[in-house]
Amino acid sequence: MTGLDPRLLLRGYAAGIFPMADSREAADIFWVEPRHRAIIPLDGFHLSRSLARTLRQGRFTVTRDAAFGEVIRGCAARPETWINAEIERATLGLHAAGHAHSIECWRGDELVGGVYGVRLGRAFFGESMFSRATDASKVALAWLVARLRVGHFSLLDCQFMTAHLASLGAVTVPRGAYVALLAAALGMDSVGGSAGSGADADALPAADFGALDVLLEDEGAAGAAGPAGKLIAQLLGQTS
């Protein structure tokens, strides 16, 4: 099918499906609903000693939403990709509307890694990541997980399991369990109604993708690669 637009894209994510294309040059897209979904539990990210050391060393300067289009193109620049021009265009539209974000890793002025995805309610749908330097994509994902934890998100969807994701703590859940997690993250029950009302609904914190920026500033770590990385490693070393 063709004619993908940002609003349709958001409706798809809310329904538990996502678009893919057969190649970068493909004209059409198709919707996918895996029987088993990969997610990273936000309190279950696996922070290895080597990754913690890389974070604390501040090997990369990490930003958010500083080069969204470049991150998408970096993710698509591989021999086999599902990101065609239609998906790229629609996702850029979501970014312009504040519903899609990227985390970038820089070495000097060079973009060496990143991850991007779509935000809806308290869910973040991780789309793809890329790396041009050792551990750059791991650092980007670590920063994303820390940002989601601080920002009161409840679901990080990774679509399909890979060995790389499994090494970072990803698990697979069956379709029914994923639908329940998604419904809770969107503030809905499994049949599309409100997840709660009154005190119960008010107890659910609103997701804030920018909450980490405030914390970094409060800790005096904003813009400083080493201190910021130490704070990220500390946050990820804590379990709720």
Side-chain angles (χ1 to χ4, degrees):
M1 61 169 289
T2 59
L4 185 65
D5 66 61
R7 290 172 297 178
L8 179 61
L9 199 50
L10 280 183
R11 288 198 294 270
Y13 286 118
I17 59 178
F18 54 88
M20 298 185 73
D22 285 325
S23 70
R24 182 67 170 163
E25 295 75 27
D28 296 334
I29 64 109
F30 53 92
W31 293 94
V32 181
E33 185 181 20
R35 291 184 177 180
H36 291 85
R37 199 74 162 242
I39 65 169
I40 294 181
L42 294 176
D43 61 353
F45 182 79
H46 176 61
L47 182 67
S48 66
R49 290 182 179 179
S50 61
L51 180 55
R53 183 169 56 251
T54 297
L55 288 167
R56 290 193 298 266
Q57 289 173 345
R59 191 176 303 171
F60 308 107
T61 299
V62 182
T63 57
R64 66 111 164 175
D65 293 332
F68 186 85
E70 292 179 59
V71 171
I72 290 186
R73 290 188 289 274
C75 292
R78 47 179 60 119
E80 294 185 6
T81 181
W82 52 267
I83 306 169
N84 69 351
E86 188 78 4
I87 290 173
E88 179 180 350
R89 181 190 59 77
T91 307
L92 286 170
L94 285 183
H95 174 64
H99 281 290
H101 301 282
S102 60
I103 305 294
E104 304 92 9
C105 287
W106 305 84
R107 192 164 52 193
D109 294 332
E110 180 187 5
L111 180 65
V112 294
V115 59
Y116 81 94
V118 174
R119 172 182 60 83
L120 187 61
R122 294 164 66 232
F124 191 90
F125 307 91
E127 289 296 289
S128 188
M129 55 186 177
F130 79 101
S131 183
R132 297 172 185 152
T134 301
D135 287 340
S137 63
K138 289 183 179 181
V139 168
L141 185 59
W143 272 75
L144 174 62
V145 171
R147 183 172 290 278
L148 298 180
R149 286 185 63 171
V150 172
H152 301 297
F153 285 76
S154 62
L155 175 64
L156 173 52
D157 171 31
C158 301
Q159 299 179 348
F160 297 109
M161 179 63 78
T162 66
H164 181 60
L165 289 172
S167 72
L168 295 168
V171 299
T172 56
V173 295
R175 181 185 297 160
Y178 174 79
V179 168
L181 290 170
L182 176 60
L186 299 182
M188 307 290 286
D189 64 28
S190 59
V191 295
S194 173
S197 59
D200 290 341
D202 293 339
L204 294 174
D208 182 1
F209 198 75
L212 180 62
D213 302 319
V214 177
L215 180 60
L216 288 170
E217 290 181 2
D218 289 346
E219 296 292 328
K230 291 178 183 177
L231 178 60
I232 298 304
Q234 179 183 353
L235 289 171
L236 293 177
Q238 300 171 350
T239 56
S240 59

